[in-house]
Amino acid sequence: MSGLGETSPETSQKAGRPARNLDAARLVGHLETMWRIRAFEEAAIRGLKDGLVLGAIHPSIGQEAVATGVCLNLDRADLLLSTHRGHGHTLAKGADAGAMMRELFGRDGGTCGGKGGSMHIADFSVGMLGANGVVGANIPIAVGAAHAIRLRGGSEIVACLFGDGAINRGPFLEGLNWAKVFDLPVLFVCEDNTWSATTRTADLTAGAGAAARAESLGIPAETLDGNDALALDEAARAAVAALRAGSGPRLLHVKTYRLTGHTAADAAPYRDPAEVEAWREKDPIARLAAALADAGIPAERLEAARAGAYAEMEAIYDEARAAPWPPVAGAYADVQDVGHPAQRAF
């Protein structure tokens, strides 16, 4: 096979792997996005070490398949709510990478004018309503957005990604219950990376976890390998189609692993290095690249996806570093101004 296209199961069987139908062109697009996410986050970590990021960075390195599998199945008009670990989700939803890097550096031209930073990136132009620094707080916001869609008769759906730590907070039950009572078009995605900050999630979670809790409320749920880009793409595509057909809320519980500490400054000494290494062997990008190689995609095409992503992020890093600071007059724009208390205080 010399180009991109549908790959027959026989090709995989010859390579000694289980037969799967691969839409190679579609999955090369996923690979490109996954490389862009990783290259962006590695550049952001470098920015933190260079003193250009004035705040925390929560990388999602190792979790890229979740962002692409879910967000590349959404339309531009669909809405997205993310977490404090939201760079990948935002990029995959279509936000401009240069504007995102300027936002992390606090510079003029950032997606939020340089005032949001890493944990509060939003880009309404692509339906990304915002990352959120409060664990689980994005869930009721997503449900509220979906209810607004219902009230105005819209056809969009809402995707809400949250971590495994969020399922042990009140907003999870409250949000899922409300969504099911009104059969709202919300795709809940529990991005289970095993660790709730520095605590193993299994040590503080009672019962069978996210999928079982959703099903107890009557919400269809599915547990998936979060490092299998193909499985995620298929499951998300089916879930999105069901939502558009009026199925009501659904939940995907995707098990993955973050290969860095909780923040870029966290060396994660609380983890067993052997555990990290075992998950590194399951790297979702390498796994998808291997599947595409087995399907006959030329090695130079796969390398071009990696090289193109790193070249793009190197360029936007330099552009963001050279960008000006926001004008002082903008400090009072886009903020709560009921009664104008802050302005009168000065």
Side-chain angles (χ1 to χ4, degrees), residues 67-84:
T68 56
V70 173
C71 297
L72 294 186
N73 279 290
L74 302 175
D75 292 340
R76 187 182 182 90
D78 292 330
L79 303 180
L80 173 69
L81 275 297
S82 182
T83 71
H84 53 283

Side-chain angles (χ1 to χ4, degrees), residues 16-17 19 39 83 134 149 166 177 180 185 239 246 281-282 289-290 311 328 333 344:
R17 296 176 182 277
T83 71
V134 180
I149 291 171
N177 182 68
K180 181 55 186 172
E281 293 295 318
K282 305 174 187 174
V328 174
R344 278 201 286 267

Side-chain angles (χ1 to χ4, degrees), residues 246-270:
S247 72
R250 308 178 83 85
L251 182 139
L252 299 179
H253 177 207
V254 290
K255 294 187 174 181
T256 182
Y257 196 83
R258 60 171 158 79
L259 293 173
T260 69
H262 176 55
T263 71
D266 174 16
Y270 46 85

Side-chain angles (χ1 to χ4, degrees), residues 20 22 27 30 34 62 65-66 68-69 224-235 254-256 279 282-285 287-288 291:
R20 303 177 81 173
L22 298 183
L27 290 171
H30 280 245
M34 292 166 73
V66 184
T68 56
L224 299 160
D225 178 350
N227 284 22
D228 185 339
L230 176 56
L232 275 165
D233 182 45
E234 291 173 344
V254 290
K255 294 187 174 181
T256 182
W279 276 97
K282 305 174 187 174
D283 186 309
I285 298 179
R287 189 169 167 180
L288 178 57

Side-chain angles (χ1 to χ4, degrees), residues 44-330:
I45 292 170
R46 178 155 62 97
L48 182 74
K49 293 177 179 176
D50 289 345
L52 297 170
V53 176
L54 305 177
I57 293 285
H58 297 76
S60 63
I61 292 174
Q63 303 178 203
E64 294 88 351
V66 184
T68 56
V70 173
C71 297
L72 294 186
N73 279 290
L74 302 175
D75 292 340
R76 187 182 182 90
D78 292 330
L79 303 180
L80 173 69
L81 275 297
S82 182
T83 71
H84 53 283
R85 207 177 302 281
H87 305 146
H89 310 149
T90 309
L91 269 175
K93 190 63 170 70
D96 180 82
M100 287 178 61
M101 192 64 75
R102 289 193 291 275
E103 184 62 36
L104 267 58
F105 289 5
R107 303 305 174 96
D108 195 27
T111 55
C112 302
K115 293 186 286 188
S118 171
M119 285 196 288
H120 302 103
I121 280 183
D123 186 347
F124 289 5
S125 71
V126 298
M128 203 293 184
L129 298 188
N132 200 308
V134 180
V135 173
N138 58 334
I139 297 174
I141 297 173
V143 173
H147 210 141
I149 291 171
R150 169 68 53 77
L151 291 173
R152 64 176 173 75
S155 58
E156 305 93 338
I157 66 169
V158 181
C160 179
L161 292 103
F162 48 86
D164 34 311
I167 70 171
N168 293 323
R169 296 202 66 240
F172 177 77
L173 173 60
E174 182 181 356
L176 267 65
N177 182 68
W178 189 277
K180 181 55 186 172
V181 166
F182 292 95
D183 271 335
L184 299 175
V186 188
L187 176 59
F188 297 105
V189 181
C190 177
E191 191 170 17
D192 184 350
N193 65 17
T194 306
W195 289 89
S196 301
T198 59
T199 304
R200 191 180 295 278
T201 303
D203 292 342
L204 47 78
T205 301
R213 293 180 186 183
E215 288 171 341
S216 75
L217 296 170
I219 296 175
E222 183 177 359
T223 298
L224 299 160
D225 178 350
N227 284 22
D228 185 339
L230 176 56
L232 275 165
D233 182 45
E234 291 173 344
R237 196 180 340 172
V240 166
L243 283 166
R244 295 200 195 286
S247 72
R250 308 178 83 85
L251 182 139
L252 299 179
H253 177 207
V254 290
K255 294 187 174 181
T256 182
Y257 196 83
R258 60 171 158 79
L259 293 173
T260 69
H262 176 55
T263 71
D266 174 16
Y270 46 85
R271 298 196 304 197
D272 182 349
E275 173 184 297
V276 180
E277 189 55 34
W279 276 97
R280 201 177 297 281
E281 293 295 318
K282 305 174 187 174
D283 186 309
I285 298 179
R287 189 169 167 180
L288 178 57
L292 289 169
D294 284 350
I297 304 302
E300 54 269 28
R301 179 68 185 87
L302 300 175
E303 169 57 20
R306 187 202 67 79
Y310 279 94
E312 176 192 3
M313 299 311 164
E314 184 69 21
I316 68 165
Y317 183 94
D318 292 338
E319 291 169 0
R321 181 170 53 185
W325 296 104
V328 174

